[in-house]
């Protein structure tokens, strides 16, 4: 789940990067085309493009923050669940830990 959210975040970040690159190219074209008397229109287009980039960046920041909050909540929930299980069944927990350690050790030797 965490990797999927992280992968989605990476895709969104790459999309924003590509959008910024495309907007930069568009702004350059606009400035070159409308030099002189149309400079006001070009500046207006630049401001709109900049506002779009800022909005996209803010959206990405919000998504990233929400994903981090979600991951933190999931980790906290898992921690609480583990604490409950360990408290309720300490001997079973130690047995499971020993079994996992044995399996890791056996796999490591091979």
């Amino acid at each position: 789940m965490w990797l999927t959210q992280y992968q989605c975040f990476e895709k969104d970040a790459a999309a924003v990067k590509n959008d910024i690159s495309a907007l930069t190219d568009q702004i350059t074209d606009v400035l070159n085309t409308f030099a002189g008397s149309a400079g006001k229109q070009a500046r207006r287009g630049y401001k709109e493009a900049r506002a779009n980039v800022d909005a996209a960046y803010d959206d990405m920041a919000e998504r990233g923050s929400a994903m981090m909050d979600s991951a933190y909540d999931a980790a906290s929930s898992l921690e609480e669940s583990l604490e409950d299980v360990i408290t309720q069944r300490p001997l079973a927990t130690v047995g499971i830990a020993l079994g996992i350690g044995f399996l890791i050790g056996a796999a490591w030797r091979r």
Side-chain angles (χ1 to χ4, degrees):
M1 181 174 126
W2 170 243
L3 286 177
T4 303
Q5 288 179 344
Y6 182 73
Q7 290 168 343
C8 288
F9 180 74
E10 282 185 333
K11 283 183 180 178
D12 289 343
V16 168
K17 184 178 178 181
N18 291 337
D19 289 346
I20 290 170
S21 177
L23 287 172
T24 301
D25 292 341
Q26 289 175 359
I27 290 168
T28 301
D29 291 341
V30 168
L31 290 175
N32 289 334
T33 303
F34 297 111
S37 64
K40 290 180 183 179
Q41 290 177 347
R43 283 190 288 279
R44 196 173 317 132
Y46 172 79
K47 287 179 183 178
E48 288 175 14
R50 181 65 187 185
N52 289 338
V53 168
D54 289 342
Y57 178 80
D58 290 342
D59 183 50
M60 286 297 298
E62 286 178 26
R63 286 184 186 184
S65 178
M67 281 191 256
M68 291 301 291
D69 290 344
S70 176
Y72 179 77
D73 291 343
S76 296
S77 176
L78 179 64
E79 180 183 3
E80 289 173 9
S81 297
L82 285 174
E83 284 180 18
D84 290 344
V85 169
I86 291 170
T87 303
Q88 292 173 0
R89 296 190 173 129
L91 292 178
T93 304
V94 170
I96 291 171
L98 287 173
I100 291 172
F102 178 77
L103 291 174
I104 291 173
W108 190 265
R109 288 183 194 159
R110 292 180 187 188

